[in-house]
Amino acid sequence: VRAGQRLASMLRCTRAWRLPLEGLGPHSPSFARVPVAPSSSGGRGEAEPRPLPLSYSLLDGEAALPAVIFLHGLFGCKTNFNSIAKAFAQQTGRRVLTVDARNHGNSPHSPDMSYEIMSQDLQDLLPQLDLVPCVVVGHSMGGRTAMLLALQRNLAVRQYLLTNLVEVDGRLAWRLNLDALAQHLDKLLTFPQRQESYLGPTLFLLGGNSQFVHPSHHPEIIRLFPRAQIQTVPNAGHWIHAERPQDFIDAIRGFLV
């Protein structure tokens, strides 16, 4: 309770503080203007809050290793982890990302603010940077965001995999042939080389948050399927039909027309 009261007091003091813009001379501190995003919630019938393009700093490292993401706390910013991020990148060889949460640092301002939308911001950003899977480290508000991000992302995959768990003679067993799948997994993750083309209409439906199909794959898709339409469903991962079922249906209906 005391911690919450202390944070509330800090917020009141921060909101009450105003810098007189007039009179700032050439030797006065400079302040960058932060973009402001319009509210996407609050009225009836309006869309759910939209992810924002967060400000971030990415230190390069070994792409084969999961990256490490640092999330700051309330009233903080990505520079809080500057020295730690650099040391971590040097000592582990991993890519390290520090991020400004919405309404913090150099990230856009928005009237929408919740752990759910902060988690969605990251779910939108991390695939764009090809940082999935990753290790997320958060402080205070950032820690809660990391907790919700893990629960939201792991739950869907876990539920999907558990559909393959069945009861046989009173015992739980996988209905997948795991041995055969593991033995031939490398073949299943690539597409056979073909020289012929299919000239009929074709729809490739991609999830906006999925990394399974990269732009570098598009030329080969067009070579094999010259009449292909490539559409992207925003805010969807690999399982579009499960995550955005109506968008999935609409895309197919539009293709059939």
Side-chain angles (χ1 to χ4, degrees):
V1 176
R2 290 183 179 179
Q5 292 174 341
R6 187 160 58 248
L7 289 174
S9 176
M10 291 171 61
L11 180 58
R12 285 194 298 269
C13 292
T14 303
R15 293 179 63 187
W17 182 76
R18 291 292 184 271
L19 180 68
L21 294 180
E22 60 276 4
L24 285 179
H27 301 292
S28 301
S30 60
F31 296 85
R33 291 189 177 275
V34 176
V36 179
S39 174
S40 54
S41 63
R44 293 185 177 180
E46 293 186 4
E48 61 185 24
R50 296 182 297 271
L52 295 180
L54 302 180
S55 175
Y56 64 87
S57 176
L58 178 60
L59 300 178
D60 198 15
E62 177 54 55
L65 298 174
V68 179
I69 319 300
F70 286 100
L71 307 178
H72 63 77
L74 186 63
F75 305 143
C77 63
K78 61 180 180 291
T79 59
N80 296 158
F81 286 106
N82 268 0
S83 57
I84 291 179
K86 292 178 181 177
F88 208 90
Q90 292 172 355
Q91 295 175 24
T92 67
R94 295 174 184 256
R95 294 164 295 170
V96 179
L97 181 76
T98 54
V99 186
D100 281 334
R102 60 170 51 210
N103 296 317
H104 289 73
N106 293 324
S107 284
H109 288 185
S110 169
D112 301 313
M113 192 67 181
S114 67
Y115 283 111
E116 289 78 7
I117 190 57
M118 285 191 287
S119 172
Q120 190 59 53
D121 288 339
L122 291 170
Q123 292 181 47
D124 187 65
L125 174 66
L126 296 178
Q128 294 179 28
L129 301 177
D130 197 20
L131 297 181
V132 179
C134 60
V135 178
V136 184
V137 181
H139 167 246
S140 191
M141 180 185 78
R144 293 181 178 180
T145 303
M147 291 161 59
L148 184 59
L149 175 65
L151 292 172
Q152 289 180 327
R153 297 300 292 176
N154 300 350
L155 177 62
V157 176
R158 187 163 61 246
Q159 289 176 334
Y160 175 76
L161 294 176
L162 287 177
T163 62
N164 294 292
L165 196 62
V166 295
E167 185 177 346
V168 179
D169 298 329
R171 301 179 61 183
L172 293 177
W174 293 106
R175 59 183 176 184
L176 300 169
N177 186 344
L178 294 178
D179 291 337
L181 295 176
Q183 182 179 353
H184 301 287
L185 187 60
D186 56 336
K187 301 176 184 176
L188 300 176
L189 294 179
T190 59
F191 188 75
Q193 292 292 324
R194 307 295 298 185
Q195 296 304 316
E196 67 272 26
S197 297
Y198 173 71
L199 301 181
T202 313
L203 173 65
F204 284 79
L205 199 58
L206 316 180
N209 296 337
S210 174
Q211 295 296 304
F212 273 76
V213 179
H214 292 262
S216 60
H217 298 152
H218 292 189
E220 181 65 4
I221 290 175
I222 299 301
R223 185 186 72 80
L224 294 171
F225 303 92
R227 298 178 60 190
Q229 301 177 33
I230 302 177
Q231 297 183 20
T232 300
V233 177
N235 301 321
H238 185 53
W239 295 284
I240 302 173
H241 55 286
E243 300 176 27
R244 311 291 292 191
Q246 191 57 53
D247 290 338
F248 178 75
I249 293 172
D250 291 344
I252 295 177
R253 288 184 60 190
F255 174 72
L256 294 176
V257 171

